[in-house]
Amino acid sequence: MISSHPFSGLNMCMSGSATSCEECLLIHPSCAWCAQEEFGRGRTLTSRCDLSQNLQKRGCEARFIEYPTSSISVLQNMPLSSKGSGLTQYGVVQIMPQKISLSLRPGDQTWFGLQVRQVEDYPVDLYYLMDLSLSMKDDLDTIRNLGTKLALEMSKLTSNFRLGFGSFVDKNMSPFSYTASKYQENPCNGYKLFPNCVPTFGFRHILSLTDKVDRFNEEVQKQMVSRNRDAPEGGFDAILQAAVCKEEIGWRKEAYHLLVFATDDVPHLALDGRLGGLVQPHDGQCHLNDENEYSASEKMDYPSLALLGEKLAENNIFLIFAVTKRLYVIYKDFTALIPGTTVEILDQDSKNVIQLIIAAYNLSVWDHPEDINLSFTATCQDGKPLPGLRKCADLKIGDTVSFNVSVEARSCPPRGTDQSFTIKPVGFKERLEVSVDYQCDCGCSRTAQTNSSICSSIGTYNCGTCHCEPGYLGARCECQEGEASSMYLSACREAEGKQVCSGRGECSCNQCLCYESEFGKIYGSYCECDDFSCARHKGVLCSGHGECHCGECKCHAGYIGDNCNCSTETSSCIADDGQMCSGRGNCVCGRCQCTEPGAFGDTCEKCPTCPDACGTKRTSPTPHITHSLMDLSKWSCSDNSHSICDPEK
């Protein structure tokens, strides 16, 4: 599905003054180009760049309109598997579709959907990475029989489970560990609470992934704690080695990879190594020696969070921080910075680890082109779209969730550039491969004609316009620059110092070709006139009672004024007595403007203080009245149109 891009207000297609089809397409995804040769002949420089419907209204045939849109092609779309056992020839499918191709026009947003399901009975590899610093001595008992418990719980989820084991302490160098000679064999030497422990080491791979659970228990039984000097441990060194040493650890390509990291303290991070003089950043490579110990512990710095996240995702590993309660908040913050990680409090019961294995599907994006915007909307088990989220939590094995991915190209890369990226659930080997090409070129450009007769044989005819050779100009390259060029430009200026064609057109040889405008027509020998720059009344040009000619309102019959808002009609000013404004005012723009003090009303007919207010309403005194008519102080008049004068009581 492709979304449209209507815009209101200014027509950006026409205002952009695009001189080529490619320039037009980059202005806005709603812009189209007319490649028809005879389009827009005359003194008006007709814009070939406009909305598609506008071009057709102005006479451009649909077959000549260049208007590419974004599109999506699904290349591989095998259905999701329901179970991991009894693999088909294609293997297990946990993401759908698997391959798509995007054809993107810059600025034009489109979207595609994908579904994810963790199938039942899928192979699982679990590597348990144990902190063996001295503070963990009490926790060794926690995992003495962990292998048996994990195997029992995992048998409820899969019939194909393997378990491995490794341990870590810290770099065996100052200031991270005790380096005096008396501590080399026993770093706990002289420590009364725990006098004996094994030499300090960085990371030690102990048991490769195996389905023999008893071997796991045996190796755990043999383990003894060591001792380092500062509180933070070298666990991130160990995580990186467990992730990248695929052959040594025994990660299977077809399995779900889990790495459980058990510790009771914070880790050292990148740049901490400088305290010991280690300035070389971690190279992200495997460095296990013949004894399966990390050989670069005292040569390289600790890895950064970004490097850890990259290597975990690259090797499809889902990391679980199993930590003591006081560290939960710190490692929770790490999960926000390292994609595909989660945290749980270290517990004697392994069931909480099992829950973490199936807790979340989280999408990651690889090799994301910089000029492409991606946004996700997750639809989880409740069926409600969650814009901005790329993960679903609290799922069960076999649940299916869906994601809508909105994609938009911001620009056009150099021609011939192949772009692609990958979307995959963290910890899964399955992925969606996305290839991208760009709709940045016009089809009409493929038939461009050099030295075209349309362009006086000295220009290239391309998509309806001429691109002249140097030294030539004009719509058809019919004029030559040089001595005459200044004369041509002078003929296109209204006066010396003025803009060529008033800045609203192009000088083609010795005459102005005016631009089109969405507001109206631009015209005149120097494009100095238009039919939309006149006075307005209440936002309406010439009050709707006139035409705009070169900046001046020409009023229709019956209207006058700068903006034609003044009516010359006088019938509405005539009072009931037949006089204009009752003889007390003037009729201006069809309305009475009262000039007599105290007069008011639509026709100035009301005036209680006017000298003739009573005299005009009576012809002779009433016979029974004996008061003097000249004694006006004892008479009062009502102010309605039928008033009579009565003596005061």
Side-chain angles (χ1 to χ4, degrees):
M1 177 179 178
I2 300 172
S3 60
S4 59
H5 290 261
F7 47 70
S8 57
L10 184 65
N11 185 332
M12 288 185 288
C13 303
M14 296 176 65
S15 63
S17 300
T19 58
S20 71
C21 182
E22 282 74 15
E23 286 182 12
C24 175
L25 298 187
L26 286 174
I27 293 174
H28 192 274
S30 289
C31 297
W33 177 269
C34 179
Q36 189 171 312
E37 178 187 345
E38 63 275 12
F39 182 70
R41 292 284 181 87
R43 286 297 301 273
T44 299
L45 191 65
T46 301
S47 176
R48 293 178 176 272
C49 187
D50 200 347
L51 300 177
S52 179
Q53 60 267 32
N54 290 351
L55 292 175
Q56 292 188 62
K57 288 178 182 177
R58 292 196 279 116
C60 187
E61 296 179 34
R63 61 194 177 100
F64 290 109
I65 294 178
E66 295 282 340
Y67 181 54
T69 56
S70 298
S71 61
I72 296 172
S73 298
V74 179
L75 306 180
Q76 186 176 354
N77 195 30
M78 294 185 294
L80 295 171
S81 303
S82 56
K83 285 199 173 186
S85 59
L87 301 181
T88 67
Q89 57 177 322
Y90 299 108
V92 173
V93 178
Q94 297 186 107
I95 186 170
M96 183 179 111
Q98 297 81 43
K99 287 184 181 180
I100 65 173
S101 174
L102 303 178
S103 184
L104 301 179
R105 176 175 175 180
D108 189 19
Q109 189 178 73
T110 185
W111 60 267
F112 59 88
L114 62 93
Q115 291 184 309
V116 180
R117 176 194 296 159
Q118 186 175 350
V119 303
E120 298 178 24
D121 204 21
Y122 193 74
V124 176
D125 287 345
L126 189 152
Y127 192 78
Y128 203 92
L129 193 53
M130 177 75 176
D131 180 356
L132 285 185
S133 59
L134 185 60
S135 57
M136 286 287 286
K137 64 183 186 299
D138 297 333
D139 295 286
L140 262 180
D141 293 334
T142 301
I143 63 168
R144 293 294 184 192
N145 297 307
L146 181 63
T148 305
K149 292 180 180 179
L150 281 173
L152 181 62
E153 290 297 328
M154 290 302 295
S155 66
K156 301 174 184 177
L157 302 178
T158 178
S159 59
N160 196 341
F161 174 61
R162 289 189 178 186
L163 193 58
F165 181 69
S167 61
F168 65 90
V169 183
D170 206 347
K171 296 181 184 295
N172 189 19
M173 59 187 298
S174 181
F176 313 114
S177 299
Y178 295 94
T179 56
S181 56
K182 67 175 182 177
Y183 295 121
Q184 291 303 303
E185 296 300 322
N186 179 15
C188 296
N189 189 359
Y191 185 60
K192 294 181 180 179
L193 296 177
F194 201 88
N196 294 303
C197 56
V198 298
T200 306
F201 58 93
F203 163 65
R204 182 177 294 149
H205 168 51
I206 299 168
L207 178 66
S208 298
L209 292 162
T210 177
D211 56 3
K212 297 179 175 57
V213 178
D214 291 342
R215 288 275 292 117
F216 179 90
N217 291 335
E218 289 172 13
E219 291 299 334
V220 173
Q221 298 291 342
K222 297 176 186 177
Q223 300 310 306
M224 293 182 61
V225 294
S226 182
R227 187 186 185 197
N228 60 320
R229 193 170 200 166
D230 58 354
E233 322 291 10
F236 279 9
D237 268 344
I239 290 175
L240 190 105
Q241 293 303 295
V244 300
C245 299
K246 295 180 284 188
E247 294 183 4
E248 292 81 357
I249 303 298
W251 297 114
R252 294 175 293 175
K253 288 184 179 180
E254 71 279 4
Y256 190 57
H257 301 160
L258 300 172
L259 179 58
V260 179
F261 177 80
T263 185
D264 68 342
D265 223 318
V266 296
H268 275 299
L269 304 174
L271 301 182
D272 284 359
R274 297 194 176 195
L275 296 171
L278 302 179
V279 296
Q280 180 182 348
H282 204 291
D283 61 6
Q285 302 299 314
C286 177
H287 295 281
L288 289 187
N289 59 22
D290 294 339
E291 285 76 37
N292 279 330
E293 290 195 6
Y294 178 39
S295 59
S297 180
E298 298 170 33
K299 299 177 183 177
M300 290 188 295
D301 194 4
Y302 300 96
S304 65
L305 294 174
L307 182 61
L308 272 184
E310 177 185 332
K311 294 303 176 182
L312 288 168
E314 187 178 296
N315 294 285
N316 307 319
I317 293 174
F318 191 82
L319 174 63
I320 299 171
F321 291 122
V323 301
T324 51
K325 188 174 183 179
R326 70 181 182 88
L327 297 176
Y328 181 84
V329 174
I330 295 174
Y331 279 88
K332 185 70 174 175
D333 291 339
F334 284 148
T335 65
L337 300 172
I338 308 176
T341 57
T342 188
V343 61
E344 187 55 85
I345 295 173
L346 191 62
D347 196 342
Q348 290 188 348
D349 190 343
S350 62
K351 287 185 178 179
N352 59 347
V353 176
I354 303 300
Q355 290 302 315
L356 285 173
I357 293 172
I358 58 174
Y361 301 162
N362 192 359
L363 296 182
S364 65
V365 181
W366 280 90
D367 303 321
H368 182 191
E370 292 183 359
D371 64 332
I372 291 181
N373 283 333
L374 291 177
S375 60
F376 294 79
T377 297
T379 303
C380 304
Q381 289 306 104
D382 60 3
K384 296 179 181 178
L386 302 171
L389 288 185
R390 60 171 69 182
K391 66 179 180 180
C392 289
D394 300 324
L395 301 172
K396 302 187 296 296
I397 294 289
D399 284 348
T400 302
V401 297
S402 61
F403 299 89
N404 275 348
V405 184
S406 172
V407 57
E408 177 184 341
R410 293 194 297 269
S411 61
C412 289
R415 281 181 173 82
T417 303
D418 291 328
Q419 301 278 32
S420 63
F421 59 94
T422 299
I423 297 177
K424 69 189 188 78
V426 175
F428 285 42
K429 70 179 181 67
E430 294 83 3
R431 64 193 64 202
L432 168 62
E433 297 176 3
V434 184
S435 59
V436 184
D437 66 72
Y438 296 81
Q439 295 279 3
C440 295
D441 297 322
C442 296
C444 54
S445 295
R446 293 192 287 269
T447 57
Q449 305 168 20
T450 57
N451 300 322
S452 170
S453 59
I454 300 173
C455 305
S456 306
S457 299
I458 45 177
T460 299
Y461 180 73
N462 187 13
C463 295
T465 60
C466 285
H467 300 274
C468 305
E469 296 292 334
Y472 294 89
L473 55 126
R476 293 293 179 256
C477 306
E478 67 272 24
C479 298
Q480 189 171 3
E481 290 183 332
E483 294 180 1
S485 63
S486 59
M487 179 187 72
Y488 291 145
L489 292 177
S490 296
C492 292
R493 285 193 179 97
E494 191 172 7
E496 190 65 32
K498 291 289 187 73
Q499 284 184 291
V500 173
C501 299
S502 305
R504 305 200 294 180
E506 291 181 4
C507 185
S508 180
C509 298
N510 60 352
Q511 68 174 359
C512 286
L513 296 179
C514 305
Y515 294 138
E516 281 193 338
S517 171
E518 65 169 314
F519 299 114
K521 183 181 179 181
I522 299 174
Y523 60 97
S525 298
Y526 310 103
C527 304
E528 74 278 13
C529 293
D530 62 57
D531 61 1
F532 52 83
S533 295
C534 290
R536 297 171 182 265
H537 179 64
K538 296 183 178 179
V540 180
L541 189 69
C542 298
S543 305
H545 302 307
E547 305 296 333
C548 181
H549 289 281
C550 206
E552 183 179 344
C553 285
K554 303 296 184 183
C555 302
H556 297 155
Y559 291 92
I560 57 174
D562 291 342
N563 55 13
C564 303
N565 71 326
C566 184
S567 174
T568 59
E569 178 64 43
T570 61
S571 60
S572 58
C573 295
I574 298 175
D576 291 345
D577 61 2
Q579 296 187 75
M580 187 72 67
C581 300
S582 303
R584 296 169 180 156
N586 302 316
C587 187
V588 179
C589 296
R591 300 187 59 148
C592 283
Q593 290 186 356
C594 303
T595 57
E596 184 77 25
F600 63 97
D602 290 342
T603 57
C604 305
E605 74 279 6
K606 301 175 184 179
C607 186
T609 61
C610 290
D612 60 346
C614 293
T616 58
K617 297 298 181 181
R618 56 186 297 276
T619 57
S620 61
T622 306
H624 70 273
I625 296 176
T626 58
H627 296 277
S628 172
L629 289 175
M630 300 304 294
D631 190 3
L632 296 179
S633 63
K634 297 184 178 182
W635 291 77
S636 65
C637 299
S638 64
D639 61 355
N640 57 51
S641 58
H642 304 289
S643 62
I644 60 171
C645 295
D646 297 318
E648 292 182 351
K649 297 291 180 18

